[in-house]
Every structure is written in C-alpha cells, then in structure tokens.
Amino acid sequence: MNAIEVKNLTKYYGKSRGIIDVSFTVPEGSIYGFIGPNGAGKSTTIRTLLSLIHATSGSAEILGMDCLKDGHKIRHKVGYVPAEVNFYDDMKVGEFLKYSAKFYKKDGKARIKSLCSDLDVDMSRRISDLSSGNKKKLAIVQALIHQPPILILDEPTSGLDPLIQNKLYDVLREENKRGTTIFFSSHVLSEIQKMCDQVAIVKEGRILKIDSVENLRGSLYKTIRINFSDLKDMMNFEIQGSAGINYKDRQMEFIYNGDMNSLTSTLNNYKIENLWVEEPSLEDIFMHFYQKGE
Amino acid sequence: MAIYYRELIRNRTALIVWTVTMILFSVFLMTFFPTIREQAVELQKLMEQYPKELVAAFNFDRLQMADPMGFYGTQVYIFITLFGSIYAVLLFISILSREESEHTAEFLLTRPVTRTKVLIAKTLAALTNITIFNLAFGICNLILFDLYARGEYDVNILVLLIIGPYLMHLLFGAVGLLISVFVVKARAVYPISIGVVLGTYFASVVSTLSEDAKDLRYLTPFKYFDAADIVEDERIATLSLIVLGVALIVGIGGSLYFYSKKDIAV
C-alpha cells in the first residue's frame, strides 16, 4: 500500500491558483521530498492532505483512506509540523504537549520527556515566550508524540539552528528506520538531498518533475567548468544541453545534461587550460529546471 | 472531552469577571429599591410628563417601579439582557473565530477529531459558561429580593424573569455561533457582538415607539422575552420558545454545516 496517493489534485482559492493537477505517490517507508520556492503550492498540497482545505477537484488518499471522508481517522496516523507554528499562547509547553497527547488517547509522558531532551525543548516555558525556532521544535515534538506511521513536515527546519537541524535529521532517520513514512517539504535543496529517497519538484502550482534523488544527481547532470586560454574562445563556445552558464575571468561554468562525447569532441576545437567535471548539487539542477521553465 | 475542558479553562477568567460584575451591579441597583419605593407617587407623576410612546418603550406603562417585580422588570432586567447578551454573543462568536484569528485552528483541526466534534465540544463549553453565569446571577437575585422585599412578590414570576434573560442569551448565542463560522478577524468580533445586541435592542425600542415599525418586534429577541409580557402573562410565550428552538437548530445546524465545508485560512 502507498502511504500517500495524490491524483490530479487541483485547488483554486476563488480565482487565484493554489495547485493545478498535482499527482504523486509516496511509497510506505520512504522519505519523500517535496520541493519548490515559496508560493509554489507546497503548503496548499499539504493542507489538502490534512483536509484543512477542500480540493476543487482530484483526490488524495493516505493509507488507502480518503482525506476528506476519513480525515479524522487519517489524522490519527499522521504527525504534522506546520510551516508557521501557532499554538496556544496561554499554555505552558508541558501543558500543551499533555493536551496534544490526550487526542491520541496516549499518556506519552515518557515519550514527551525523551523527545524534549533530544530536541532541547524546555517544558516549563510559556508558549508565548518562545522564539520561532523554539516553537518549531515544539511543533516537531508535538508531531512525534503518538509515534505516527506518517509524518508530514512543512519546512520543518526553517528557523532552526544547524545543530538542532542535525538533531532533527537524526530523529527523522531513526523514525524512518522504524518504518515511518516521511513527507518532507522544503525550499532548501541540500536537506532534501541529504534526507530523501524521492523528490517531487513543484513550481507555480504544478509538479515539474518527480524523480529519485539519486537520478536527479546522477549521470544526466554534470557541472562543467572550463578554463579557456583565450577569452574569445570562451565567448564563442556553445553546446547543446547546457544551462545556467556563468562566466568568471576566463572560466566558464554550466550544468550539462547532454552527451559527454559531443562535449569532448567540441572541446577538441578549443584551446583549454583546465577542465572540471563535477557532480552538481540538487540546487544547481533545480535552478536549471527553473530557468528552463521560465 | 479534552477540548471541552480546555475551553472551560480558557474562558474561566471571562466568566468570573462577567458574573461578578453583573452581580455587583445588581446588588448596587437593589440598594436603590427602598428609596424608589418611598417615592413611588412622585415617580408616577414624573412618568406622566413624558410622551406615552417613550414610557411604553421602556415598559413603564405596564410595570410599576415601586413594585418589586416592576423594579426587576424595568431595571435589573434591562441590564442583564443587554450586557448578558453581549457576553453571550462574544462567547459564542469566539468559539471558532478565536481559533482562526490566532491561527490555532490549524493545530486543533489536525488532531484526530472531526470538525463536528470540535464544534459540539466548544458549543457545550459555551453553554456551560452561559448557564453558570445565569445560575449565579439568578440565585443572587433570589436572595436579594428575599432580603429587600420578602412576601411582596410572587417568586414564580421572579424565577420566570430570571429564566427569560437566560433564554435570550441562548438565542443570541445561536446567532453568535453562526457568525463565528464566517467572522475570522479578531478586531471584528467586538464591534459585531455589541452591534448585534444594541441593534436589536434599538429595534425593539423603535417597534414600540412607532406604529409603522411595529413589525420589527418579530426580528428582535428583546421583544420575544419582554419583561412586561412575562409579568402580565405569568409565563413565557409559546411563540418565543418556538423561535428560540428554531434559532438553536438553525444556529447549531448551520454552523456545523458551513464549518465542515470551510477552508481554514493559514
């Protein structure tokens, strides 16, 4: 069974676009990246999965249950970290976590304690006094209390310092090892690269591409850097399949997804000083897609 | 159940402040009663100088201030219906709009409960609040009148005059609940609550002042639970109870329906 299955999901807010025809499948036990810039429709998709908003058309299922019809049953099995954390300001952290645990008919005292110490959350503080980073940590603890088989994380690392970010990655990996499916939305590519098996790229409300993280980083895409002896050569150099071209002094850098042989044979006609062929970061590939789309 | 208790705790301070203020105010009013009773004749003369319609608009034609039930009906009744109704509308409007304006709805509605259950638990909590409020106020007034005018009035009528405002609060509550689904902005809650109550009160005054606006009486809760009617008829009119029933069904049913379909804004 698939953990999450989204089919042709479309959401319009009145006339303005939310998402258009979004389809993807998250296999159980995977860490699935959901990436795109702000306003691409990541949160809209997630909020539809949690039935906070109602889709205009299309369907969404979690563990084979319809997100709208069986929403409350689904939410029993889902832990959710919102992009923007707003909890009850009048409550203390410990009090709030206890309240949250009550919904799952679990005491969770020991679990709360260990999560709070893992992520360095102070239970005695008032929620209104927490910084946005601390609120985020609280949101993460809250999402993990009932040990849900599915975690939906909307930009979980934004506002966290690098140390806590790494702790979060560790916690998530551990959860994943136990079989938890993680749906990880972000606009930071390096963490998707670090964490995910598969990734869906969204842009302007549509899915641009779905691929395994390995494939995206794999043989298709290379970062090429060339040092030319002659500036004129550099300006004349052109090849199919290049994108994101950058010039710096006599060095040219671009992402290449064409044939390697045609690159080397083309290079034969130029006098070059040095050549680098490197694994591009997902960030570069991502940029490349975006430029193509525009 | 967790939501219900949480809601009670959250509304506790407001309940205490409203209840204590209203009780103190009724104690304060009551201390005037002996003086008013002594000056009954002068007051009556004074009333005769005002236009008939105006006197009728405030029930001074049908109720005598010097009479305990007349005093309750023209003094205590007005402020408990006015202020109590504002409290009721505020309480019921905040049921949903507070969660949305403070963006905590996102937390609450991602818990494994249906929206129907959320709304019912919160409505029950608000009902509990308004019941405690009226119960405390009612008991206090039963004691006050026993102290100041024992044997001079029919206790059954006083009880009816205590139940009347309670039912009116419930009617306003039903209206507030329905508004609650649609009004999200926190700064709109107070103007709307006070506006609804004062607006309908004004409508009830106008409906007695002017023959042309007579039919307005069917639109305002203040006329369905009129103190003079209760004192004269010694009961609350069946029509009023039917209207209340319909309002509760429409308020609760409508809010459940619209809330289940609503998109929760970020």
Side-chain angles (χ1 to χ4, degrees):
Chain A
M1 194 171 33
N2 286 314
I4 304 174
E5 201 167 341
V6 174
K7 278 187 203 144
N8 311 107
L9 204 62
T10 299
K11 172 69 186 174
Y12 276 93
Y13 299 100
K15 274 188 178 164
S16 69
R17 161 198 66 79
I19 47 173
I20 304 164
D21 203 23
V22 165
S23 301
F24 60 88
T25 305
V26 179
E28 251 184 311
S30 67
I31 304 185
Y32 198 93
F34 198 55
I35 194 152
N38 296 325
K42 298 191 299 288
S43 290
T44 300
T45 309
I46 287 173
R47 295 170 68 79
T48 314
L49 286 176
L50 293 158
S51 59
L52 283 169
I53 54 177
H54 298 76
T56 312
S57 64
S59 71
E61 284 184 359
I62 290 182
L63 296 170
M65 294 181 279
D66 184 80
C67 281
L68 263 189
K69 258 200 341 250
D70 300 314
H72 63 290
K73 283 187 219 154
I74 288 173
R75 292 192 295 270
H76 210 95
K77 298 186 178 302
V78 169
Y80 168 53
V81 176
E84 256 176 67
V85 182
N86 292 290
F87 294 149
Y88 302 102
D89 277 346
D90 58 316
M91 281 179 144
K92 282 187 176 157
V93 169
E95 211 182 326
F96 168 74
L97 289 172
K98 224 169 99 192
Y99 178 54
S100 185
K102 270 189 197 156
F103 285 95
Y104 305 94
K105 307 202 164 56
K106 275 190 183 173
D107 172 43
K109 230 182 228 165
R111 175 98 174 138
I112 290 173
K113 239 185 189 167
S114 83
L115 283 168
C116 282
S117 76
D118 277 356
L119 288 167
D120 197 18
V121 172
D122 183 352
M123 296 226 280
S124 63
R125 293 196 47 195
R126 203 161 275 282
I127 290 179
S128 56
D129 297 337
L130 296 181
S131 67
S132 65
N134 279 329
K135 276 187 185 161
K136 201 90 200 191
K137 288 197 283 184
L138 179 56
I140 293 160
V141 173
Q142 162 271 135
L144 291 168
I145 294 175
H146 55 296
Q147 298 184 296
I150 294 179
L151 278 173
I152 296 181
L153 316 173
D154 198 351
E155 314 222 342
T157 51
S158 70
L160 296 185
D161 59 60
L163 200 73
I164 298 291
Q165 276 188 22
N166 283 327
K167 273 189 190 165
L168 173 64
Y169 297 144
D170 290 344
V171 170
L172 293 181
R173 280 200 194 97
E174 213 168 287
E175 289 296 316
N176 182 243
K177 251 186 233 159
R178 285 216 314 253
T180 308
T181 311
I182 300 175
F183 186 73
F184 196 116
S185 140
S186 177
H187 65 263
V188 183
L189 286 139
S190 57
E191 64 181 11
I192 293 282
Q193 203 169 1
K194 215 184 283 178
M195 293 294 298
C196 300
D197 314 319
Q198 256 196 318
V199 60
I201 301 172
V202 271
K203 189 197 173 190
E204 284 164 14
R206 291 176 192 275
I207 296 269
L208 210 59
K209 190 171 176 82
I210 296 175
D211 212 339
S212 72
V213 170
E214 221 163 284
N215 260 352
L216 273 180
R217 300 170 56 203
S219 54
L220 276 171
Y221 298 95
K222 294 289 169 202
T223 299
I224 310 286
R225 275 190 291 147
I226 310 164
N227 264 15
F228 288 89
S229 320
D230 193 341
L231 211 63
K232 250 192 234 154
D233 272 356
M234 183 167 84
M235 301 321 284
N236 288 334
F237 181 83
E238 236 183 325
I239 190 159
Q240 277 244 313
S242 63
I245 300 168
N246 252 317
Y247 300 102
K248 203 169 134 197
D249 296 329
R250 277 179 295 135
Q251 194 181 79
M252 179 183 186
E253 187 186 314
F254 56 93
I255 300 168
Y256 183 64
N257 71 338
D259 182 28
M260 269 302 152
N261 293 308
S262 76
L263 176 69
T264 47
S265 59
T266 312
L267 280 173
N268 263 338
N269 308 324
Y270 296 88
K271 198 167 167 28
I272 64 171
E273 276 177 359
N274 210 341
L275 171 70
W276 292 265
V277 179
E278 290 168 337
E279 206 67 23
S281 70
L282 197 51
E283 211 122 18
D284 289 332
I285 300 170
F286 192 50
M287 285 294 296
H288 166 68
F289 273 117
Y290 271 52
Q291 283 169 356
K292 229 180 176 179
E294 269 157 16
Chain B
M1 259 342 223
I3 298 176
Y4 175 78
Y5 287 122
R6 160 82 184 127
E7 204 64 11
L8 284 188
I9 291 168
R10 210 179 185 195
N11 289 327
R12 195 175 43 193
T13 317
L15 173 66
I16 293 169
V17 170
W18 276 95
T19 308
V20 170
T21 313
M22 288 291 108
I23 287 173
L24 285 180
F25 200 42
S26 68
V27 170
F28 172 72
L29 266 183
M30 205 63 207
T31 58
F32 286 103
F33 181 60
T35 326
I36 285 172
R37 192 162 43 183
E38 278 166 26
Q39 299 171 349
V41 184
E42 285 89 341
L43 270 171
Q44 203 53 42
K45 270 186 197 154
L46 186 72
M47 285 299 159
E48 279 158 15
Q49 286 171 6
Y50 286 107
K52 257 192 201 136
E53 291 83 2
L54 196 66
V55 173
F58 296 99
N59 276 337
F60 287 121
D61 58 337
R62 295 195 283 162
L63 299 173
Q64 304 304 317
M65 259 220 280
D67 167 66
M69 288 306 93
F71 179 76
Y72 193 94
T74 53
Q75 305 298 310
V76 185
Y77 202 84
I78 299 240
F79 88 80
I80 187 62
T81 50
L82 265 181
F83 291 108
S85 296
I86 290 174
Y87 171 53
V89 181
L90 276 176
L91 189 65
F92 279 83
I93 281 194
S94 71
I95 284 181
L96 296 177
S97 59
R98 189 169 177 190
E99 298 273 357
E100 278 199 63
S101 66
E102 291 173 12
H103 306 291
T104 48
E106 188 167 32
F107 166 79
L108 189 60
L109 297 180
T110 49
R111 297 312 98 189
V113 280
T114 58
R115 289 193 191 184
T116 306
K117 275 194 182 152
V118 169
L119 189 58
I120 287 174
K122 282 173 154 269
T123 304
L124 284 177
L127 281 175
T128 309
N129 274 303
I130 209 75
T131 306
I132 293 173
F133 171 73
N134 275 283
L135 214 58
F137 185 80
I139 290 170
C140 255
N141 273 280
L142 283 171
I143 295 169
L144 278 175
F145 273 82
D146 193 51
L147 287 176
Y148 278 86
R150 178 178 288 175
E152 295 173 45
Y153 62 94
D154 182 351
V155 180
N156 289 328
I157 289 180
L158 182 56
V159 170
L160 280 176
L161 285 176
I162 287 166
I163 292 173
Y166 175 51
L167 299 181
M168 200 195 291
H169 298 161
L170 293 182
L171 184 51
F172 273 112
V175 175
L177 187 60
L178 204 54
I179 297 174
S180 177
V181 182
F182 303 102
V183 175
V184 174
K185 299 227 159 58
R187 62 186 145 89
V189 167
Y190 279 85
I192 288 178
S193 304
I194 295 167
V196 164
V197 176
L198 291 186
T200 49
Y201 177 69
F202 186 66
S204 87
V205 172
V206 170
S207 75
T208 17
L209 278 180
S210 149
E211 190 66 20
D212 297 333
K214 206 175 65 193
D215 289 341
L216 267 181
R217 63 179 291 129
Y218 295 109
L219 286 175
T220 163
F222 287 91
K223 280 289 168 200
Y224 285 113
F225 300 98
D226 186 85
D229 290 347
I230 292 173
V231 173
E232 282 178 355
D233 303 344
E234 296 187 14
R235 66 190 192 88
I236 291 163
T238 315
L239 175 66
S240 304
L241 295 176
I242 291 172
V243 168
L244 171 65
V246 170
L248 286 174
I249 290 168
V250 170
I252 295 172
S255 57
L256 281 174
Y257 174 78
F258 290 116
Y259 195 51
S260 69
K261 293 195 170 306
K262 192 184 181 187
D263 281 353
I264 304 302
V266 181

